[in-house]
Amino acid sequence: FPPTANPPSKQPLLTLLKQARAFGLGVVLATQNPVDLDYKGLSNCGTWFIGRLQTERDKERVLDGLEGAVSGAGGGFDRQKIGRIIAGLGQRVFLMNNVHEDAPVLFESRWALSYLRGPMTRDQIRQLMASRKATSA
């Protein structure tokens, strides 16, 4: 969904973003580089989850898209205030902006920890399956 090029997927995706709500369909766009997304599509998104941004250029692109989305929904947009909030986001802290709410909300995700060790070795698989092999014989 690049802002400059016109790949075959761009027009159908833009149409989908514009018309999805009418049919009860949600579309998720996720990127680490907001400058890689077309601002026309971004302004059609009603709910935004914004994490820590690496560059000022990314922040400006997100603010442009948010401004378009909020003004399209008839709401007020304080660009400086939102810009300060986005600039101050820490790790695992997100800004959620929903066009149906009065103000954006800050929230923090919880730690997710997995105790999985990773791929098993052949010996570990053999040891795990030994009991099944004995009962099937």
Side-chain angles (χ1 to χ4, degrees), residues 5-117:
N6 201 10
S9 61
K10 187 171 183 176
Q11 193 57 44
L13 189 54
L14 187 56
T15 302
L16 181 64
L17 285 169
K18 288 180 179 179
Q19 297 179 358
R21 282 187 303 247
F23 297 100
L25 181 67
V27 178
V28 175
L29 294 177
T31 184
Q32 291 181 332
N33 301 313
V35 295
D36 291 345
L37 296 176
D38 192 305
Y39 71 93
K40 293 176 194 168
L42 291 177
S43 64
N44 281 295
C45 297
T47 304
W48 292 54
F49 295 97
I50 302 162
R52 198 167 50 155
L53 299 172
Q54 300 298 323
T55 67
E56 192 65 29
R57 186 174 156 209
D58 289 343
K59 186 176 109 178
E60 290 302 318
R61 173 56 65 102
V62 167
L63 287 171
D64 290 343
L66 269 176
E67 190 170 22
V70 172
S71 63
F77 185 76
D78 186 348
R79 187 180 180 99
Q80 288 182 337
K81 178 183 173 189
I82 301 297
R84 283 192 305 273
I85 292 172
I86 290 173
L89 292 175
Q91 292 181 344
R92 299 180 5 257
V93 177
F94 297 88
L95 175 74
M96 181 189 73
N97 188 69
N98 184 345
V99 295
H100 304 294
E101 301 292 330
D102 294 333
V105 176
L106 280 175
F107 70 95
E108 185 173 350
S109 64
R110 64 186 178 99
W111 283 97
L113 182 61
S114 172
Y115 291 101
L116 298 176
R117 291 178 40 176

